[in-house]
Amino acid sequence: MNTPAHPRSPATPPPIVVIVDDEAAIREALDSLFRSIGLRTLSFASPAELLQAAVPDGPGCLILDVRLPGISGLDLQDQLARHGIALPIVFMTGHGDIPMSVRAMKAGAVDFLPKPFRDQDMLDAVAAAIERDTQRRAEASALDEVRARYATLTPREREVMAHVASGLMNKQVAGLIGLSEITVKIHRGNVMRKMGVRTLADLVRQAQALGVATG
């Protein structure tokens, strides 16, 4: 199975693979491998170097050796998570065992490759990791847009949205918040327009994503 190049517009930089391994030969081999399919790379010999560096924002993944100078790759995984750094991780190790791989996967690693690994296995793991990161970024961007739309609602419109998204009819909402049914209908129409949705189902999904439904 060949790993396809990642399609992108001319203005979009290719995904980036961040490599952390204390063996220079491994770093150089991986750097060459990833660049051969059009990916950008950054290489570091230790977690400390990575944590001090400015990694460009954009889709990508992290390749970590489990055993590294200073802190282990598994501990670095925990540290990155605490700092909100969400790059998917592919672990590699020459000393791996089942408990280590289970811990890594439970913490969100994409794969755990024992050395020596086939180039294609690494490329497949990286492709999966980049796809996961791309999807995560798309979902985060969509949620940011929903939040921006929600910020344009008046307090009353937010109240109506929460009740409607919880399954209440206009008449029920009117009785609950002390408005006429026609006024609730107007507010509901404004909410739908401002939130950019046409169906109640879409509005419910947005409310759930925002955590604003009352039921």
Side-chain angles (χ1 to χ4, degrees):
M1 170 182 169
N2 293 325
T3 302
H6 295 271
R8 60 186 183 276
S9 67
T12 303
I16 188 165
V17 181
V18 180
I19 306 160
V20 185
D21 194 297
D22 58 342
E23 296 184 47
I26 296 292
R27 295 196 305 273
E28 291 169 4
L30 289 174
D31 179 273
S32 177
L33 176 64
F34 298 139
R35 288 181 182 276
S36 73
I37 61 168
L39 298 173
R40 294 179 297 161
T41 63
L42 282 176
S43 297
F44 303 98
S46 70
E49 289 185 12
L50 169 64
L51 294 173
Q52 293 171 4
V55 177
D57 188 37
C61 68
L62 187 59
I63 309 298
L64 280 183
D65 194 324
V66 167
R67 299 182 184 273
L68 291 166
I71 64 174
S72 73
L74 294 174
D75 290 335
L76 178 59
Q77 180 186 30
D78 294 338
Q79 189 169 337
L80 292 173
R82 287 195 300 270
H83 284 80
I85 299 174
L87 276 179
I89 298 174
V90 175
F91 278 104
M92 54 185 178
T93 180
H95 313 276
D97 59 16
I98 292 176
M100 291 171 67
S101 61
V102 169
R103 175 184 166 187
M105 301 302 281
K106 281 185 175 181
V110 175
D111 213 336
F112 195 96
L113 301 178
K115 296 177 181 177
F117 44 78
R118 297 189 310 126
D119 285 354
Q120 192 60 52
D121 289 340
M122 176 59 77
L123 291 175
D124 289 345
V126 165
I130 291 173
E131 177 62 28
R132 178 187 292 187
D133 194 45
T134 300
Q135 180 65 26
R136 177 189 64 82
R137 289 172 181 274
E139 291 171 355
S141 177
L143 182 55
D144 285 344
E145 181 180 350
V146 171
R147 285 173 174 157
R149 288 180 176 275
Y150 185 71
T152 68
L153 301 184
T154 66
R156 181 64 84 184
E157 288 167 349
R158 294 182 185 184
E159 187 178 16
V160 169
M161 175 178 173
H163 290 307
V164 168
S166 299
L168 297 183
M169 305 295 290
N170 290 349
K171 185 176 182 179
Q172 294 172 305
V173 176
L176 191 63
I177 62 179
L179 295 177
S180 69
E181 186 175 350
I182 187 65
T183 300
V184 169
K185 185 176 181 180
I186 292 171
H187 283 311
R188 179 171 174 166
N190 288 339
V191 168
M192 301 286 281
R193 175 177 55 81
K194 290 182 178 181
M195 295 303 295
V197 296
R198 294 186 177 183
T199 69
L200 177 59
D202 288 337
L203 187 67
V204 169
R205 280 191 285 271
Q206 289 184 337
Q208 289 173 339
L210 293 168
V212 299
T214 60

